[in-house]
Amino acid sequence: KGTIAAGIVDGSQPLTLDKNMLQDTKISQQFSNVIQMMQMKKVFDQVSYKLIVHDLTSDKPYKKPSKLVNQLNENAKKHAVEVYINHYNDREALSLWDNDQKGLDEVINSMGYGYEGISKKIKIYRIENTDFITVEFESDSSTLSAYVVNTLCDEFIKYYYSLTRDNELKAINYLEPLLAQKKDSLNNSMIALRNFKIDHHVLNLNEQAKSLYSQMADFETRIELVQKEIEANEEALKNINQKFDNNDKPYVDKKLALLNKEILQTKQQMYQLQDEASKGNNPEKYQAKIDSLKNTLDNQLHLTTDRSATNPLTAKDNLIAQKLNLEVNLDLAKGSIKSLKDELRKLNIRFDSLVPNEAKIQAYEGNINVASQEYLEILKKFNQTNMAYSSSGQIKQIEMAMPGSPQPSKKMLLVAVSGVGSFVLCLLVLFILFYLDNSIQIAEELANKTNIPVLGFLPIINDAPLLSLNQLWELGNLDPRTKEFKNQLRSVRFEIEQEMAGAKLLVVTSLNSLEGKTFLAMSLASAYIMVNKKVLLIDGNFNDSAITQLAKPASYIEDVFNNRAYVPRPGYSNDVTILGNRGMDISLFEISTEESVKQKLEEIKEIFDVIIVESSSLNTLNQSKEWISVADKVISVFEANKTITPEEKLFIAYLKSLNQKFLGWVLNKSTNEFGGTRNNKRFFRKNNR
């Protein structure tokens, strides 16, 4: 065997500078990759070429030449060696599409130097959690084993560096310009965003939007206050005007026309100053001038009041002064609200202009995020590849394989271990099958799983002669199987007779079809005949009238229950009287009413000792339940080696609900010699009642 240092966790290798970053799973994966790479056919082919070339050119081959090698002449050997060497140098496999190379591949395989021959005998594994990989090869020659191990290690190291180092270098050469390209793309996106902000005077778009929104809210509040002031002044003027009568208005209007000329000039100056102040251009400066003009306006209003000349109703001069005051305030308010609305409109325009800037900036920022993510991903891959290339472990063979003494053969030990293992495995499989098998095979299992008594069992009969009930009771029939069947049938008949307790009408049913109702009904009828009973067998299975098809009776229940025919009379001794059906899609109470059926059955009971009715299975629902409703007693057939399905559990619950009317089971087609016990079947009845 030989040993390779992988350089993955070895402290002497450069890769361990980053060993703290390596997780156990990553290290295990790297070792798995190395081992799988050593087992590649491409590496094994290199070993195969060297082995076959050595044996074809050396006087001391590792193996005795095969029959195919002995057939090669000198020219063929020379040609083969030349082809092998060329493929070895090119690291290529032989093409099986080429007939010549396919033949050379067969030569290699004939010597056991092919991929299959080497891979079956070589073992490559990591020594626990170390950095070392062991290579072992088993052959008849220790020299051959050492040569194969050393050659495989050497060829793998060459292949590993030719593959991994070249791939890593190609990856670095590919990622480096791509990384520069992504960096340029990121820088261009950032420059574009910067230029856009400079061109559109955007310092901080969010802060600008907040400032504009705050100013807009302030102007809306101011407009609301001025609007309220206008409404208040208009209401006050309206009240004052109502206090003047029509005779006063000419005097008031004439006086106002003379006095308002100077006032209008002052108000015009105030409007201009308010308009300038509302634009936000140094409002403190304009506010002082506005206050001065307002004082002037107040003085003018007082002067007009002092010089007013009205009609003899001079008591209303104060009202005129108030009216003039209110009109001035109203005009000022209307002028200011116009200025405020103009400024609010300008702010809205400025705010709206930020929306396209926001969308444009988001687009630039999105491009920057994408470019940044792409750049970081490429940078990460570039760093990883560069680190892997710079810190690749120096894989080398640290222990050469040397020829040694032959090891004892383990063939017999392996054969013995495999035999014992196969035996244990077979036992385990059989145990699992037995444990998971829920099928009912014996009467005791049926009684325990259903909690219903079992009256007996009938063994399975496969031979056609045993199906003839007339031959069954012949005295000369000494066949052991026939005798066993008769004994079990007699036992079932006896148990049923004990449970009937004088009742005459017995219905035979089952959970599903094809469980043996017909065979049991006919067998019971023949058994009752043997004890000198007058027996009537009624084919009540309208779905499968097998009794009618076998016996071809002269009377049918459709005619008897509808009074179109007489009740049949008992025949000769040892004969069963049979009442068939025409096999139509019909049920018992569809033939006649329930009362009529019961009356007819009472007439029949006066004639016969035992009336056995084969009904359909319980999965036919009312067709079987109608017969059960008019029966004195009911028994059910259960086929052995079957499991109880969820649907059948419902039928079993129905049978339990019949209470004393349901006598119990008859296990049919039993493959067990004693049906599960040698005791009398009363054992089941007593322990399950």
Side-chain angles (χ1 to χ4, degrees):
K1 66 178 181 179
T3 304
I4 288 179
I8 297 176
V9 295
D10 183 11
S12 63
Q13 301 302 330
L15 187 61
T16 58
L17 294 174
D18 196 35
K19 64 180 180 180
N20 293 329
M21 298 175 60
L22 294 176
Q23 302 296 325
D24 291 341
T25 54
K26 184 176 180 181
I27 293 174
S28 299
Q29 183 180 11
Q30 289 179 347
F31 273 103
S32 297
N33 292 339
V34 170
I35 292 174
Q36 290 300 320
M37 196 178 297
M38 292 182 71
Q39 296 175 343
M40 290 176 61
K41 186 177 182 300
K42 183 182 287 291
V43 178
F44 280 18
D45 284 345
Q46 297 296 99
V47 179
S48 300
Y49 295 146
K50 297 192 75 171
L51 287 172
I52 192 65
V53 169
H54 175 273
D55 282 10
L56 291 178
T57 57
S58 175
D59 296 334
K60 295 180 180 180
Y62 294 122
K63 284 186 177 182
K64 182 180 178 181
S66 64
K67 184 184 296 185
L68 191 58
V69 172
N70 289 330
Q71 294 176 358
L72 299 176
N73 55 35
E74 291 299 325
N75 291 331
K77 289 183 179 180
K78 183 178 179 181
H79 170 70
V81 170
E82 182 180 353
V83 174
Y84 291 142
I85 292 176
N86 290 336
H87 280 74
Y88 172 81
N89 294 331
D90 295 336
R91 292 185 178 274
E92 294 181 352
L94 293 171
S95 175
L96 300 183
W97 301 103
D98 189 313
N99 291 330
D100 179 55
Q101 295 185 23
K102 182 178 180 181
L104 296 177
D105 182 70
E106 292 175 355
V107 171
I108 293 177
N109 291 327
S110 68
M111 292 293 294
Y113 294 156
Y115 176 75
E116 297 294 334
I118 296 177
S119 61
K120 289 180 180 178
K121 298 180 181 180
I122 200 164
K123 291 195 300 183
I124 304 173
Y125 58 91
R126 180 189 179 191
I127 303 176
E128 295 181 353
N129 294 325
T130 65
D131 188 60
F132 306 110
I133 298 174
T134 297
V135 182
E136 296 180 355
F137 185 77
E138 181 181 349
S139 69
D140 297 334
S141 170
S142 59
T143 304
L144 174 61
S145 298
Y147 182 81
V148 170
V149 170
N150 293 330
T151 304
L152 178 65
C153 293
D154 182 61
E155 293 300 329
F156 163 70
I157 292 172
K158 292 179 182 177
Y159 175 72
Y160 178 80
Y161 282 111
S162 67
L163 180 66
T164 58
R165 301 282 290 182
D166 290 345
N167 288 342
E168 290 171 354
L169 185 58
K170 290 179 181 178
I172 291 174
N173 294 334
Y174 170 75
L175 292 173
E176 191 170 8
L178 184 61
L179 181 65
Q181 179 183 350
K182 294 300 180 181
K183 186 175 182 181
D184 292 340
S185 177
L186 176 61
N187 291 334
N188 292 335
S189 299
M190 295 176 68
I191 292 172
L193 176 60
R194 183 192 63 190
N195 293 336
F196 178 81
K197 288 184 175 181
I198 293 173
D199 294 339
H200 293 80
H201 306 288
V202 177
L203 294 178
N204 189 323
L205 197 61
N206 291 332
E207 292 298 327
Q208 288 182 350
K210 289 180 181 179
S211 176
L212 288 176
Y213 187 79
S214 176
Q215 294 180 39
M216 290 166 60
D218 180 58
F219 272 98
E220 288 176 353
T221 303
R222 291 166 64 183
I223 290 173
E224 184 177 356
L225 294 175
V226 173
Q227 188 68 40
K228 290 181 179 180
E229 184 180 353
I230 292 173
E231 292 175 357
N233 291 333
E234 288 179 346
E235 186 65 25
L237 284 173
K238 181 179 178 182
N239 293 333
I240 291 175
N241 288 330
Q242 289 177 354
K243 293 179 181 181
F244 291 104
D245 56 23
N246 294 331
N247 295 324
D248 296 331
K249 287 183 179 180
Y251 297 100
V252 174
D253 294 338
K254 182 178 180 181
K255 181 166 184 165
L256 291 178
L258 295 173
L259 300 176
N260 284 340
K261 192 171 185 181
E262 293 180 0
I263 295 174
L264 287 176
Q265 293 177 356
T266 305
K267 289 199 298 185
Q268 288 293 336
Q269 293 177 5
M270 288 183 65
Y271 292 158
Q272 292 177 0
L273 292 175
Q274 285 180 343
D275 188 44
E276 292 295 332
S278 63
K279 294 179 180 179
N281 298 325
N282 197 357
E284 293 80 4
K285 173 184 175 182
Y286 292 104
Q287 187 62 39
K289 295 181 179 180
I290 291 172
D291 292 340
S292 176
L293 288 174
K294 192 171 183 180
N295 292 330
T296 303
L297 183 62
D298 290 339
N299 294 329
Q300 290 175 348
L301 290 174
H302 286 301
L303 291 174
T304 55
T305 303
D306 293 338
R307 292 180 298 176
S308 60
T310 61
N311 66 355
L313 301 175
T314 56
K316 295 183 179 180
D317 287 344
N318 291 332
L319 292 178
I320 295 174
Q322 292 178 15
K323 180 178 179 181
L324 291 174
N325 226 358
L326 290 173
E327 287 178 348
V328 170
N329 291 334
L330 179 61
D331 291 339
L332 290 174
K334 287 182 178 180
S336 63
I337 198 172
K338 180 179 180 299
S339 300
L340 291 173
K341 288 183 177 180
D342 290 340
E343 285 302 312
L344 180 61
R345 186 178 68 256
K346 292 177 182 179
L347 289 175
N348 283 324
I349 293 173
R350 289 176 61 190
F351 188 81
D352 293 339
S353 66
L354 295 180
V355 175
N357 291 342
E358 173 67 16
K360 194 68 175 178
I361 289 175
Q362 287 182 356
Y364 280 120
E365 290 177 347
N367 293 336
I368 291 173
N369 289 335
V370 172
S372 176
Q373 186 175 2
E374 291 178 350
Y375 173 74
L376 292 176
E377 289 292 333
I378 300 298
L379 179 62
K380 181 180 178 182
K381 292 180 180 179
F382 177 79
N383 291 336
Q384 290 175 348
T385 307
N386 198 19
M387 180 180 294
Y389 179 79
S390 301
S391 59
S392 296
Q394 301 296 321
I395 296 180
K396 60 183 178 181
Q397 186 176 0
I398 61 173
E399 184 179 356
M400 302 294 293
M402 296 294 178
S405 58
Q407 297 294 324
S409 176
K410 299 179 182 178
K411 181 176 181 181
M412 294 304 298
L413 178 61
L414 294 176
V415 171
V417 171
S418 62
V420 173
S422 300
F423 178 72
V424 173
L425 180 62
C426 291
L427 289 180
L428 180 62
V429 171
L430 291 175
F431 174 76
I432 292 174
L433 292 176
F434 176 78
Y435 182 78
L436 297 178
D437 187 9
N438 292 323
S439 62
I440 296 174
Q441 301 179 1
I442 60 177
E444 189 172 2
E445 290 179 350
L446 179 59
N448 292 333
K449 289 187 177 181
T450 62
N451 199 25
I452 294 176
V454 178
L455 302 174
F457 73 93
L458 295 178
I460 189 170
I461 298 178
N462 295 321
D463 294 342
L466 294 181
L467 296 176
S468 176
L469 297 177
N470 291 329
Q471 295 180 9
L472 179 67
W473 301 104
E474 291 180 357
L475 296 177
N477 194 341
L478 301 178
D479 183 76
R481 290 171 295 174
T482 305
K483 187 175 180 180
E484 173 65 19
F485 180 79
K486 285 197 298 183
N487 290 336
Q488 298 300 331
L489 181 58
R490 286 167 175 160
S491 177
V492 171
R493 189 265 307 160
F494 177 77
E495 296 296 330
I496 292 175
E497 190 171 6
Q498 293 294 312
E499 294 293 328
M500 291 284 286
K504 292 186 176 182
L505 181 56
L506 176 67
V507 171
V508 181
T509 185
S510 64
L511 301 181
N512 291 291
S513 58
L514 303 178
E515 295 197 55
K517 298 188 306 298
T518 302
F519 184 66
L520 177 62
M522 296 176 67
S523 299
L524 280 177
S526 65
Y528 272 108
I529 286 293
M530 296 306 297
V531 293
N532 300 313
K533 299 287 186 179
K534 291 182 288 185
V535 182
L536 174 63
L537 179 60
I538 299 177
D539 187 359
N541 189 352
F542 298 103
N543 295 320
D544 183 12
S545 53
I547 295 177
T548 304
Q549 295 174 8
L550 290 172
K552 301 187 184 311
S555 301
Y556 295 92
I557 57 177
E558 292 90 347
D559 299 331
V560 172
F561 287 175
N562 285 322
N563 298 319
R564 292 197 297 266
Y566 294 106
V567 177
R569 299 295 170 177
Y572 298 102
S573 59
N574 296 331
D575 281 343
V576 177
T577 304
I578 298 177
L579 192 60
N581 70 73
R582 290 190 167 85
M584 296 183 294
D585 183 14
I586 199 171
S587 67
L588 176 62
F589 293 157
E590 291 177 0
I591 295 175
S592 183
T593 63
E594 183 176 358
E595 293 298 326
S596 299
V597 170
K598 289 181 178 179
Q599 291 177 4
K600 187 62 66 176
L601 290 175
E602 291 298 326
E603 295 178 13
I604 296 174
K605 290 178 184 178
E606 297 295 330
I607 301 172
F608 293 93
D609 298 326
V610 178
I611 303 169
I612 300 175
V613 179
E614 183 210 350
S615 72
S616 58
S617 55
L618 289 175
N619 60 6
T620 60
L621 303 177
N622 68 298
Q623 288 186 335
S624 60
K625 292 181 179 180
E626 288 178 3
W627 278 111
I628 292 173
S629 66
V630 299
D632 295 333
K633 299 292 181 180
V634 180
I635 63 172
S636 179
V637 181
F638 190 92
E639 183 180 350
N641 300 314
K642 287 181 60 178
T643 58
I644 298 176
T645 64
E647 181 183 9
E648 292 173 344
K649 290 181 180 179
L650 299 177
F651 300 152
I652 293 173
Y654 167 73
L655 293 175
K656 288 182 178 180
S657 68
L658 298 177
N659 298 322
Q660 299 298 324
K661 193 174 191 178
F662 179 57
L663 302 182
W665 303 103
V666 175
L667 184 65
N668 191 31
K669 301 180 184 180
S670 174
T671 56
N672 190 281
E673 182 179 359
F674 301 105
T677 180
R678 292 180 180 271
N679 297 333
N680 188 279
K681 304 307 170 292
R682 288 184 180 275
F683 170 83
F684 300 109
R685 292 189 285 111
K686 290 180 180 179
N687 285 276
N688 289 280
R689 283 294 183 188

